[in-house]
Amino acid sequence: MAPSRFDAALQDAALRMETTFAHALSEAHPLLSGAPERLLAAMRHGALGGGKRLRPFLVEASAALFGAEAAHAAPVGAALECIHCYSLVHDDLPAMDDDDLRRGQPTVHRAFDEATAILAGDALLTLAFGLVAEAEAIEPAARLRLVALLSREAGAAGMAGGQALDLEAERQALDEPAIRRMQAMKTGALIAFAAESGAILAGAPEADRARLRRFGEIVGLAFQLADDLLDETADAATLGKATAKDAARGKKTLPALHGQDWTRAELERLVAEAEALLASYGDKAETLKAAARFVAFRDR
Amino acid sequence: MAPSRFDAALQDAALRMETTFAHALSEAHPLLSGAPERLLAAMRHGALGGGKRLRPFLVEASAALFGAEAAHAAPVGAALECIHCYSLVHDDLPAMDDDDLRRGQPTVHRAFDEATAILAGDALLTLAFGLVAEAEAIEPAARLRLVALLSREAGAAGMAGGQALDLEAERQALDEPAIRRMQAMKTGALIAFAAESGAILAGAPEADRARLRRFGEIVGLAFQLADDLLDETADAATLGKATAKDAARGKKTLPALHGQDWTRAELERLVAEAEALLASYGDKAETLKAAARFVAFRDR
């Protein structure tokens, strides 16, 4: 798939996800009816109106590979985006990364207050599991599997654990294996879940599920490498958030350890590996392959 | 059931829950294997070694009323306790209630640090849903219903929303309907879930489920009234946490509005209402009735 066609597909999916997501975060949603207005507003501030919506895109593309409709994948994508966005809201808090700006907007604790940001994050995380449990187009057994897997990948053994390791890295520099472990948990776990969950919700056989998971792990690795590279090379206006922060805090990244040339070569290698994994699916896997390439070589 | 026999039953259940819960929070648990040690330690600090474990007790007693074994109820009780404990960890944060002491021990952000306390709370909340999803003794459809209901009751329309309203109460005094709404969400939602979830996991008919929910709502109301009364009358050493905090912050409670005599009469009325609701179950409901009485007239 040509990059421009992929960009259009990604933006199209992001627009559709925005609609699904805005509904999931409205007072009209049965999981939220009666919620306080200000808390809902903070949740929406942290979750709507921005982001590439890459994770829901991967869920949808992975589900499509096994014949499931986009509408069936949408609640899982929305759940994943709830969790991604909650993690940003909490990571931005003064006690964590202390960021004022996210996607070019004030962070939730800046636009509201710190306590509200903590609660909005909590409520987004809590909502995610309800969205999956109520995704009635998905078989009950698959939904339960998705809830359990999401709990693992977002929790102490996954994303939250990775963030804890990242905080420890501010106190003592990590060596390369420790950096890789931290990143596999902090960023990789949810991206791997995105790719795997499409196969699960579509009822794909175990071998396909495992292959999509591995694909997701590689894409997650590429995502983080590209992110670290952008942190070194891009400017804040393009990214809509502060840059060069890792170096300023003495946090080691793989680009910092090995240099930008190594990083670009490693990204090529990872994309080739991801594409090879999906070779047996032929043209049907074009969207996922293009996604891997986009993740590795994006400029934002 | 005599108060002393009830006390013994509650303590016995709490001990069993402690074992279940310690296992759920160990590195050996499949949902947590590979999690960073320090984060796990913070989760355990916030969750183990204390508390009356009232919510799991209600799950178990409600399930028993409809013939389900305690072992079937245990994962739901553990999940509920994860959520209750996460809410305490986050509520204690400097940006929220700013408490140094909980159950006579330093709060998580005091024993560790603020960022770790935020993440430990997040990870406890995340774990809860995995525990329910993997509770294999419960029918898949009932498990999904429990996940969805727990998401609603713990989220913006339930507990987290109630905490948001409680924070707003520091800025502007609430009137009685607003106090009741806040408390029904902040405390009532999880206690109502506890009573209802037992009926759900045991596969009880809809009418029984609704009755147990109503019972839980009344018990939740009594729980909060008793809590507010204890905040006025008990000392910190007995409760293991700071007291007389509501008055100091200008937060209105129902005992503050109506007085202690009214509160004790109201507690008697609520207990009678709760007992009447369960009258048709006869002796089988003795444990639940004793729980309602305990909640209303406890001294800790």
Side-chain angles (χ1 to χ4, degrees), chain A residues 42-112:
Chain A
M43 292 166 72
R44 295 168 66 89
H45 183 93
L48 296 180
K52 294 177 285 289
R53 308 298 186 199
L54 176 72
R55 292 161 193 79
F57 184 86
L58 288 173
V59 178
E60 191 179 304
S62 170
L65 184 61
F66 303 103
E69 290 170 34
H72 294 194
V76 177
L80 205 37
E81 206 61 11
C82 278
I83 288 188
H84 173 56
C85 292
Y86 116 73
S87 78
L88 300 180
V89 172
H90 280 189
D91 287 3
D92 287 340
L93 286 167
M96 305 262 248
D97 292 351
D98 196 12
D99 276 310
D100 297 333
L101 203 63
R102 168 75 63 184
R103 294 168 182 159
Q105 297 289 322
T107 47
V108 177
H109 66 274
R110 282 288 174 190
F112 292 81

